Amino acid sequence: MTPTIIDTDPGIDDALALLFAWGSPELEVEALTTVAGNVPLALATVNAWRVRELCRPAPAPVIAEGAAAPLRRPLRTAADYHGQDGLGDIGGWPETPERVASGQAVDVMIDAARRHRRRLVLIAIGPLTNVALALERDAEALRAIGRLVIMGGAVDVPGNVTPDAEFNIHVDPDAARRVFEAGLPIDLVPLDATRQAILRREELSEALARTPGPVAERIAAFTAFGFRERGADGTTGLTLHDPLAVGVAADPTLATWDRVRLIIGADGETRRRAGAPNCRVAVGLDRARFVQRFLERLCPRSA
Ligand code: BDR
Ligand code: CA
């Protein structure tokens, strides 16, 4: 099993990514580190706890809190896509304990990087603020990890928050620039690939109907808000942005890859440049294999 840390700003698709990771035997999720993005930091941390409480993975990953704001910009959130509370505003979650997080995101990342080195996979599915701060603390330790899988960017396709920029990179382009210039082993999962990963409502309903119960009901409820995006093939559904990052972290053969030199523009644009590649970009996807695997593994333990 691959020791794994997930840096996240839950978020409907983040929540699905966490459930998918816990159902993936290739990944041993040691910690969730939270970052401000889809929702303010305190809510991101509460949502990470809520999703962990829903699935109750064993062993339970540590939840460690990270950056409350991007490096240099005010925070832009995504309530219009995820709901005011980040999880579709369905209510009815268990009462949150007083202390949800136990540790600081940067400490947890650096500690795992030093312990596991090449074995560690860091999956970043929110703005890259925590990763940039960890780099500032110990760049050598981060350069020694096996893979940094990032959901973000729009390389050869339009953005989703500006004509050219994708949300995670747009929220903290300064952090993204530092991360892409640091010589890290980056696998980027941009909109180019995730727009091929649209989940249709009936696909999820059918899968959840195979494992009825309170967990399935909650998954159906918090995802309902997200089924309104249009994918590359014209279908409408929920885009599995963050679950795809988890999918390729566990099995890179789900995607086809292009080695690219990318630079980060002032507003979070991800542009190709000539020169030595600084990342591998997912450009194609075996959609059928990915979606089938995702639905099979969606938190099966507690369903
Ligand atoms: C990314 O932005 C967020 O809203 C999603 O959780 C995902 O990480 C997609 O652009
Ligand atoms: Ca996210």
Side-chain angles (χ1 to χ4, degrees):
M1 271 181 139
T2 303
T4 303
I5 293 198
I6 304 183
D7 189 64
T8 176
D9 59 339
I12 293 172
D13 63 321
D14 298 74
L16 291 175
L18 299 182
L19 299 174
F20 184 28
W22 291 322
S24 295
E26 302 86 353
L27 306 177
E28 166 98 55
V29 184
E30 282 192 2
L32 307 179
T33 53
T34 59
V35 64
N38 286 323
V39 285
L41 180 67
L43 203 42
T45 307
V46 166
N47 286 348
W49 177 85
R50 286 172 170 164
V51 181
R52 189 184 70 178
E53 196 61 15
L54 178 66
C55 190
R56 297 192 170 225
V62 164
I63 297 176
E65 202 159 53
L71 296 182
R72 295 209 206 126
R73 302 182 148 199
L75 176 65
R76 170 183 182 161
T77 58
D80 48 343
Y81 183 74
H82 298 272
Q84 291 299 328
D85 77 345
L87 292 177
D89 295 326
I90 57 171
W93 295 99
E95 199 178 323
T96 314
E98 215 167 283
R99 226 168 73 94
V100 178
S102 51
Q104 293 297 315
V106 169
D107 295 344
V108 165
M109 278 183 192
I110 295 295
D111 172 64
R114 288 179 184 160
R115 274 186 298 117
H116 295 302
R117 299 180 62 82
R118 285 272 163 267
R119 283 176 14 86
L120 184 72
V121 171
L122 172 56
I123 307 176
I125 54 178
L128 290 167
T129 321
N130 289 342
V131 183
L133 293 172
L135 257 179
E136 204 172 284
R137 174 87 64 83
D138 190 345
E140 206 185 311
L142 273 202
R143 281 194 199 105
I145 71 171
R147 289 165 77 204
L148 167 59
V149 181
I150 297 172
M151 190 283 128
V155 179
D156 300 318
V157 299
N160 59 359
V161 279
T162 77
D164 292 320
E166 176 279 335
F167 180 81
N168 288 339
I169 307 295
H170 173 75
V171 169
D172 198 344
D174 305 293
R177 196 167 306 117
R178 290 189 197 179
V179 170
F180 277 82
E181 287 173 2
L184 300 171
I186 298 175
D187 279 352
L188 185 71
V189 181
L191 297 180
D192 308 56
T194 65
R195 285 211 177 102
Q196 299 170 47
I198 300 280
L199 181 67
R200 290 190 296 276
R201 196 186 283 273
E202 58 279 13
E203 289 176 309
L204 181 64
S205 314
E206 275 165 32
L208 294 178
R210 292 198 292 266
T211 53
V215 175
E217 279 164 25
R218 237 149 158 91
I219 294 173
F222 80 71
T223 53
F225 199 80
F227 279 95
R228 52 209 164 87
E229 291 210 311
R230 190 167 277 272
D233 64 356
T235 46
T236 303
L238 187 156
T239 312
L240 297 172
H241 299 288
D242 294 342
L244 184 56
V246 167
V248 300
D251 179 0
T253 71
L254 289 169
T256 51
W257 302 87
D258 203 2
R259 289 198 179 274
V260 174
R261 173 151 206 89
L262 279 188
I263 58 154
I264 309 298
D267 222 17
E269 303 85 355
T270 39
R271 299 204 173 106
R272 289 175 186 262
R273 277 287 178 278
N278 58 357
C279 61
R280 197 165 73 139
V281 176
V283 286
L285 174 68
D286 185 340
R287 185 209 179 257
R289 199 154 63 92
F290 166 65
V291 170
Q292 187 191 11
R293 187 169 305 175
F294 168 75
L295 292 172
E296 275 166 4
R297 292 179 170 190
L298 197 56
C299 193
R301 220 187 332 264
S302 50

